[in-house]
Amino acid sequence: MLFYCEPIDGLPAAIAKDASSGLPLLTEQEAIFKIILTYLSLPYSVAEYGCGKKTSLIIKQLIEMKIPGWAIQRGMILERDMSPDALDQVDMRLRPHALRAHNPLAQLGDLLDPQLRKMLSNVVANVHPTQKTIQVGAYALHHEKVIQFVLARSHVFTVLKFWDQVHQRVVERVIDPTLEPAGPFVIEALREKLDASESLLFTAYLLGHFRLRPEYLTRDQRTEVSKKLGSPSRLQDIDLQAHNQLIRSLTGAEPGSIGDPDTWSYVNNFHNEDEQYRNEKLQLTGSGDEFHLHIPALIEARENHHHAIGSIRTELDSLADKLQLAQILAGDAFWAEKELEALADCAITIVYFNSLQYLAEKIKNGEDLREHLRTVTANSPLRGIGVRQRRRIDKLGVLATRDDGHIDARALNVQFQKCALETIRQMNKVQLSVFIDKVGNIHGVRLNHTERNALSQKKLNIRNILRHSVNHCSHIDTVNDGGKFDGRLGVTGGIQTAELIADLEEYCDIKIADDDSMVRLAVTAFNNEEMTFTGEGVSMSGSAAVAGHARPESVHNMVNQDCERYGDKLIDCLTVFKMACEDGRINLAHELQGTGQDLINSCYNPTDFFTRHTFERHIEQGPVLDRAGVPIITVGTIMGIHQRDFFFDGLLAEQAALEMNCRLRELTQQTPFLNTRFTVGMIHPIGDSYCHANPGFALRCELEGEKNHAGATATADRRDPGVGIARLARIFHDWIVKNAGYFNELQSVIGDIDIQPGTNRNVIPGQAAVTLAIQAENFTPEFGEEILRILQAAAAGELTAQVSAGGEGITIGRIEPVSFVKNYAQVRLSLDMREANDSVMIKAQEAVDDIVRNLEESFAVKIRHEIKQHLQPSQLLDSGQVLLMERSYGGSHNPNEMEMMVDLTLGNLLAFTVMQDVLQRKDLTGVNLVNITENYMPAKWLSKMDRFVSGALHDTCNIAACVMQK
């Protein structure tokens, strides 16, 4: 997060690269910078410490943007004098060559403010304000306008190579938001930015040694190096030992000191970590030096238009794979993020405190906060509110991450339990009283002291309080390999609103709620929204139980894919909660008692927390809002959903299942199904496979797309590799039918389907694979080459086009010969259908039935189905539930899902403004929360888009259905 720049409006859809070299185009440097600022949660405003760690995280983000690792380097700028006397001198005024930087923290506010120091002590762990500094663990944050790098006497940064199309050459740019928040800059500018004209500039290939670069020497440095080597150009040729001896002679560094290159790792020159980590980095250092054998050749070949560039790129890619570069860099980033946590929390709290003061001033002056929703620029002083929420989301994302790096907080699993504890902890911090109900929903309610005492003495029923509450709700469970924003946006947004109200009262002496108001703020994290557990005719069990649509006993009997029972896993989760209460990590407003079923019985009834006034913030269909230029819009209708599992039985079961996926895609091109969404999220084999070893010809076809939310992604925006492999299978089958007369005893096999992640009905797969095989007496290699050409042409041609252009938006993983094929005679296919119109949904079900009958006849298979879920469309305006869609990027149910900081801030400000309104009312009788919310939304948002039609199910659906019934 960049805490001190203007908000960014819009993100680029993709990064353009030079086709020959693979380097990003120079014209993309600003786009890359924007993405880094949006995706990375870093304490850029802390300049004194953590530069190497921040560089590790930036490098990982560049790798995730598909920028080749060999295009990225670490850079280091080092003080010119590293002699013992210079190292002993800590006063930068007495060191002529000291690196100096403007202190971003000094721009953020007064670090000596007693209220800020109080907040830091209350919010951030391991913070100890002293007379002139704020001690954060081992780090001391200073208030001075100019700071130095007293520990390392150096600064580490990221260097990225670009292809300059105008001048037809490779150029390098520094990416360092701490030193330059405006964007990338040339390496030579570092000396001016750090006020050190004779500092030394080094770069290192990833995992390589830092080397002095001749082209970045100053005139005096060139003269001195020439005296020692004869020519600066010889720096390229001397061995490592000679290079390091040269550096010691230039800087006066003693062997073994931080100025001695022999002690440097590929990460930086200064290590204050544990010895084991330092030794691991030192052992890896130098393995990346081999890039030096190839990258200059690549640059020369590209600049001189030489045909050898293709083979050089292949060698570079192979080297990166051999070094396990991506895995090592991911590990560095994971460690760096953990090490930076305290600094990030401190910097975030400082910028949040400034925003709180700004907001308090506006409220005291009686200003209309709607003005700050109308323009992005005017909103920037309040950015700390969005920054604060982003930090909450990031923490949940870390806790939801498995050891393999994938987010997986499916309901009631280990990662979910960690996220639930963190959610309760956050609720505790903002003075919410926390309750757990009998299906594991987490409810935080803002109560006054009298209400808390009355509840503890059982003189007051929580149900009576909740009748006039506004519940900020969503979920914290995820799909397998999901993202960190979906669901968590709504829960953490509610917590953030509660924090604003509490902090305005504690730090600014501003009370938002009227003393006579019966209205209360509540925050709920509903359980199992993503339907990890299914059955019992229950949809989204947490909100269904609160709405009274599902009894807790029914919810407890639901099961997940591993046949684990909801009730049993809930007991495990409650046991963890109980232990956390006992050791003081969390606080609940009621005691969890006993074990087993007694634990569940000690929880509240879900219906106690029902309110007809819900407020849910969500991400969905970001491209739609982005194209309209709208950051937030209300949802008017939620599509109905119909989910079925189909069971195919027969020798051609897998082929028939793939053909069904093709025909479902074709349905979306027919009236009246143009807006209907069909998704096949799972194709799973059942029973034993038949293995065909050494067929005459077999190809393994693997395609990649974009994993996304089935309801949140319009058909036109999909990149579904599951449909892609189905279309390849059809092309293959059509070739067989056309050429069957040429072969004797022809046998073809379409099988071994693999859909990833393949764990949820409501997730568009991100990867898919199928094996296509032929066995015939007179099948020749020439026929195989023909099939391979046809399939590769389709995969690299028509299937790469967008859906609207007749493709599927996919990319080829690989299409390669294999020596065997497996197929299954029984297959389960999951179908998720979404439609806003009831009559069209009925017609869609009838059309699917027609497809099934035709498949049974054409492929000699038997197909039966089971209905897993069916919900009618929800009209939210009539029921009064607020469901907000916020502009987002990277899809939904996807590791890349993201929301810009400015939009997070706008969402928080809108939520606060609505609560400011309702907390001044005596009660909520006759109130329609949608009308109140839209009244505060800028007219230009509402004029650009009609109320949104949401394709995704939300917990709001169950609440809305209950309201309409009542």
Side-chain angles (χ1 to χ4, degrees):
M1 305 167 191
L2 193 57
F3 304 142
Y4 44 80
C5 76
E6 288 301 306
I8 299 166
D9 190 15
L11 280 181
I15 299 300
K17 301 185 183 72
D18 173 50
S20 298
S21 66
L23 298 175
L25 300 180
L26 183 59
T27 52
E28 298 294 287
Q29 60 177 323
E30 296 301 329
I32 290 171
F33 197 74
K34 285 182 179 182
I35 292 173
I36 286 172
L37 295 185
T38 301
Y39 273 80
L40 289 183
S41 170
L42 298 180
Y44 295 126
S45 50
V46 178
E48 294 174 87
Y49 313 105
C51 57
K53 300 175 183 68
K54 285 179 270 190
T55 298
S56 292
L57 285 154
I58 291 172
I59 289 172
K60 176 177 177 283
Q61 183 61 46
L62 292 171
I63 295 292
E64 290 180 351
M65 292 161 62
K66 307 299 183 185
I67 292 173
W70 37 265
I72 308 166
Q73 290 180 284
R74 286 176 181 268
M76 182 169 66
I77 183 168
L78 186 74
E79 289 190 5
R80 183 66 171 81
D81 186 357
M82 298 294 287
S83 65
D85 288 344
L87 293 180
D88 287 340
Q89 180 56 259
V90 297
D91 188 341
M92 62 181 170
R93 294 170 298 181
L94 301 179
R95 296 201 320 275
H97 298 291
L99 298 177
R100 302 176 178 88
H102 292 289
N103 185 7
L105 282 178
Q107 301 172 28
L108 290 179
D110 182 5
L111 297 189
L112 305 181
D113 187 308
Q115 288 290 72
L116 170 60
R117 289 171 163 240
K118 175 184 174 183
M119 179 180 283
L120 285 168
S121 299
N122 290 340
V123 172
V124 185
N126 204 20
V127 164
H128 305 286
T130 64
Q131 187 174 0
K132 292 187 177 181
T133 67
I134 294 176
Q135 197 74 28
V136 186
Y139 307 111
L141 302 182
H142 296 86
H143 185 65
E144 289 82 3
K145 292 182 179 180
V146 177
I147 50 90
Q148 62 171 323
F149 304 94
V150 69
L151 295 179
R153 308 296 172 95
S154 67
H155 180 76
V156 176
F157 50 90
T158 307
V159 180
L160 183 58
K161 286 181 168 58
F162 291 91
W163 176 248
D164 182 348
Q165 288 179 297
V166 175
H167 299 98
Q168 291 289 290
R169 62 192 178 101
V170 175
V171 297
E172 293 180 327
R173 294 291 184 268
V174 173
I175 297 177
D176 191 333
T178 296
L179 296 184
E180 182 49 78
F185 57 92
V186 297
I187 292 181
E188 296 91 332
L190 281 159
R191 291 190 176 102
E192 181 180 352
K193 293 181 184 298
L194 292 173
D195 193 23
S197 59
E198 285 299 315
S199 54
L200 297 174
L201 288 169
F202 302 80
T203 61
Y205 295 112
L206 298 182
L207 308 188
H209 288 99
F210 282 100
R211 303 278 297 215
L212 196 61
R213 294 279 294 276
E215 61 265 47
Y216 298 132
L217 295 174
T218 66
R219 183 173 62 181
D220 289 348
Q221 290 168 4
R222 291 179 67 84
T223 299
E224 192 168 353
V225 170
S226 295
K227 290 178 181 178
K228 296 177 183 296
L229 299 181
S231 170
S233 62
R234 287 203 59 213
L235 276 170
Q236 306 276 25
D237 305 319
I238 60 176
D239 63 21
L240 183 66
Q241 183 178 357
H243 172 271
N244 292 354
Q245 178 58 44
L246 172 67
I247 302 306
R248 287 190 291 269
S249 69
L250 291 173
T251 64
E254 284 194 337
S257 71
I258 59 173
D260 178 10
D262 285 345
T263 69
W264 302 350
S265 75
Y266 71 87
V267 177
N268 56 26
N269 72 313
F270 176 76
H271 291 274
N272 60 346
E273 306 87 15
D274 63 80
E275 188 173 351
Q276 180 181 349
Y277 182 83
R278 178 177 183 272
N279 289 336
E280 287 176 1
K281 300 300 103 179
L282 287 171
Q283 288 174 11
L284 286 169
T285 301
S287 58
D289 287 345
E290 194 174 342
F291 283 117
H292 180 63
L293 302 175
H294 305 289
I295 293 177
L298 177 99
I299 294 172
E300 183 180 1
R302 181 63 187 93
E303 291 182 345
N304 292 287
H305 310 289
H306 197 279
H307 62 81
I309 192 167
S311 60
I312 298 172
R313 281 185 64 180
T314 300
E315 290 171 354
L316 285 167
D317 288 336
S318 298
L319 177 58
D321 291 340
K322 183 183 77 172
L323 295 175
Q324 296 184 309
L325 189 63
Q327 296 92 317
I328 292 171
L329 297 177
D332 288 344
F334 180 79
W335 179 86
E337 187 169 23
K338 196 163 55 172
E339 290 292 306
L340 288 172
E341 185 172 8
L343 285 176
D345 284 341
C346 193
I348 286 164
T349 303
I350 293 170
V351 73
Y352 167 71
F353 180 79
N354 292 338
S355 294
L356 186 74
Q357 288 186 313
Y358 182 86
L359 179 63
E361 180 185 356
K362 300 304 173 187
I363 294 172
K364 287 178 180 178
N365 292 338
E367 295 184 27
D368 190 343
L369 296 180
R370 276 179 285 200
E371 182 61 34
H372 296 280
L373 289 165
R374 293 191 180 110
T375 60
V376 171
T377 302
N379 190 54
S380 60
L382 294 166
R383 64 191 180 277
I385 302 169
V387 167
R388 187 79 160 160
Q389 186 189 5
R390 170 67 188 274
R391 187 62 179 156
R392 298 182 189 281
I393 293 170
D394 287 340
K395 285 190 174 183
L396 290 175
V398 171
L399 293 172
T401 303
R402 300 189 308 238
D403 291 341
D404 63 3
H406 295 289
I407 286 179
D408 177 13
R410 283 175 283 180
L412 302 177
N413 72 6
V414 172
Q415 290 81 234
F416 173 87
Q417 292 173 15
K418 293 178 182 178
C419 292
L421 289 175
E422 173 62 17
T423 300
I424 296 170
R425 189 194 69 81
Q426 290 188 19
M427 289 180 173
N428 290 156
K429 281 282 189 181
V430 302
Q431 302 175 27
L432 297 179
S433 299
V434 183
F435 306 82
I436 312 297
D437 69 27
K438 287 181 167 61
V439 297
N441 295 320
I442 302 169
H443 307 277
V445 187
R446 182 168 169 78
L447 303 173
N448 59 40
H449 180 71
T450 302
E451 290 166 336
R452 285 195 294 271
N453 285 339
L455 279 171
S456 65
Q457 297 170 18
K458 301 190 184 303
K459 295 180 179 179
L460 181 65
N461 191 326
I462 191 68
R463 181 193 293 259
N464 296 332
I465 297 175
L466 268 292
R467 283 177 53 214
H468 290 286
S469 72
V470 173
N471 193 347
H472 295 250
C473 60
S474 198
H475 61 96
I476 60 170
D477 62 309
T478 72
V479 298
N480 183 25
D481 195 22
K484 60 185 176 183
F485 272 77
D486 182 72
R488 282 97 180 277
L489 176 67
V491 176
T492 59
I495 294 172
Q496 188 56 50
T497 302
E499 181 179 57
L500 274 175
I501 293 170
D503 286 349
L504 283 168
E505 186 170 337
E506 180 172 357
Y507 297 100
C508 306
D509 198 27
I510 294 177
K511 197 170 183 179
I512 299 301
D514 186 87
D515 289 338
D516 296 328
S517 176
M518 297 172 59
V519 181
R520 296 291 177 265
L521 180 150
V523 182
T524 291
F526 289 118
N527 206 345
N528 195 40
E529 194 271 354
E530 298 292 3
M531 294 296 291
T532 296
F533 291 84
T534 60
E536 302 295 312
V538 177
S539 176
M540 298 174 295
S541 52
S543 54
V546 168
H549 293 162
R551 296 181 302 109
E553 295 78 13
S554 298
V555 173
H556 297 160
N557 287 326
M558 298 171 74
V559 295
N560 62 17
Q561 281 193 314
D562 296 325
C563 297
E564 295 171 319
R565 184 175 168 272
Y566 190 112
D568 297 333
K569 299 300 291 183
L570 176 59
I571 289 170
D572 293 343
C573 190
L574 293 176
T575 302
V576 171
F577 291 176
K578 182 181 179 184
M579 293 172 60
C581 287
E582 291 170 350
D583 61 25
R585 283 178 289 153
I586 61 170
N587 293 304
L588 296 180
H590 59 102
E591 185 180 0
L592 294 175
Q593 300 175 339
T595 59
Q597 185 62 39
D598 288 340
L599 270 174
I600 296 178
N601 293 340
S602 65
C603 296
Y604 276 70
N605 289 318
T607 52
D608 287 345
F609 298 91
F610 175 81
T611 175
R612 63 188 299 129
H613 309 287
T614 58
F615 191 100
E616 183 172 5
R617 294 169 59 194
H618 229 286
I619 59 166
E620 183 188 329
Q621 294 183 50
V624 178
L625 274 74
D626 190 46
R627 287 192 290 265
V630 174
I632 304 171
I633 199 69
T634 48
V635 173
T637 303
I638 298 178
M639 289 182 173
I641 180 171
H642 183 85
Q643 291 181 335
R644 296 187 195 182
D645 282 358
F646 292 87
F647 297 86
F648 293 71
D649 192 341
L651 293 177
L652 301 180
E654 289 186 276
Q655 184 177 350
L658 290 175
E659 178 61 22
M660 182 171 181
N661 208 359
C662 278
R663 297 190 188 185
L664 291 170
R665 170 64 86 243
E666 291 168 348
L667 272 186
T668 64
Q669 300 160 7
Q670 302 172 18
T671 304
F673 309 121
L674 300 178
N675 293 316
T676 309
R677 295 170 191 171
F678 299 91
T679 304
V680 173
M682 297 186 285
I683 300 180
H684 287 168
I686 300 172
D688 297 328
S689 65
Y690 300 89
C691 186
H692 306 267
N694 300 313
F697 177 78
L699 290 174
R700 184 66 174 168
C701 303
E702 297 179 357
L703 302 180
E704 296 181 1
E706 182 178 63
K707 186 161 70 70
N708 227 321
H709 192 299
T713 313
T715 302
D717 293 321
R718 296 186 176 209
R719 297 173 53 214
D720 188 340
V723 181
I725 63 166
R727 289 178 62 172
L728 288 182
R730 178 186 278 183
I731 292 169
F732 176 74
H733 175 71
D734 290 346
W735 189 93
I736 296 292
V737 172
K738 178 181 177 181
N739 297 279
Y742 294 119
F743 304 111
N744 300 327
E745 299 184 16
L746 174 66
Q747 180 185 5
S748 65
V749 179
I750 296 175
D752 208 3
I753 300 169
D754 184 27
I755 302 286
Q756 294 293 333
T759 54
N760 289 75
R761 296 177 183 86
N762 62 344
V763 176
I764 301 166
Q767 297 175 312
V770 65
T771 301
L772 311 173
I774 296 177
Q775 183 70 51
E777 286 185 0
N778 55 340
F779 190 88
T780 64
E782 289 74 19
F783 285 117
E785 291 173 3
E786 179 182 344
I787 294 173
L788 179 59
R789 283 196 304 271
I790 291 171
L791 293 176
Q792 285 180 331
E798 62 182 278
L799 293 183
T800 63
Q802 298 302 306
V803 173
S804 57
E808 298 300 336
I810 56 86
T811 57
I812 303 177
R814 69 183 181 110
I815 299 180
E816 296 177 348
V818 291
S819 59
F820 68 93
V821 58
K822 295 186 296 182
N823 74 311
Y824 294 82
Q826 291 182 310
V827 172
R828 175 167 67 98
L829 176 148
S830 71
L831 172 61
D832 179 293
M833 298 194 304
R834 314 273 173 134
E835 173 55 55
N837 186 292
D838 272 333
S839 62
V840 175
M841 176 65 88
I842 293 171
K843 291 178 181 178
Q845 294 174 49
E846 293 171 347
V848 170
D849 291 338
D850 290 340
I851 290 173
V852 167
R853 284 190 287 270
N854 186 271
L855 291 173
E856 286 181 318
E857 182 178 341
S858 300
F859 292 90
V861 293
K862 292 184 178 180
I863 306 173
R864 65 178 180 86
H865 73 262
E866 296 176 358
I867 296 176
K868 293 298 181 180
Q869 189 170 203
H870 183 84
L871 288 175
Q872 301 293 111
S874 301
Q875 304 300 326
L876 300 186
L877 180 61
D878 295 337
S879 61
Q881 277 68 55
V882 173
L883 178 59
L884 296 175
M885 285 300 136
E886 301 187 14
R887 179 170 50 186
S888 62
Y889 301 87
S892 176
H893 285 190
N894 185 307
N896 295 321
E897 64 188 24
M898 183 56 60
E899 183 172 349
M900 294 190 301
M901 197 65 66
V902 62
D903 292 344
L904 278 174
T905 304
L906 288 171
N908 279 298
L909 185 58
L910 177 60
F912 173 78
T913 305
V914 170
M915 286 307 302
Q916 187 183 29
D917 179 307
V918 298
L919 287 172
Q920 293 295 316
R921 298 170 185 252
K922 181 178 180 181
D923 57 39
L924 296 179
T925 302
V927 165
N928 185 304
L929 203 57
V930 174
N931 292 335
I932 292 177
T933 302
E934 290 188 341
N935 179 54
Y936 288 106
M937 294 172 71
K940 66 178 181 180
W941 298 359
L942 301 172
S943 66
K944 288 183 178 181
M945 285 187 74
D946 294 329
R947 289 192 185 97
F948 205 74
V949 176
S950 171
L953 277 182
H954 302 278
D955 291 302
T956 298
C957 298
N958 280 323
I959 306 301
C962 181
V963 170
M964 296 307 292
Q965 288 171 4
K966 292 185 177 183

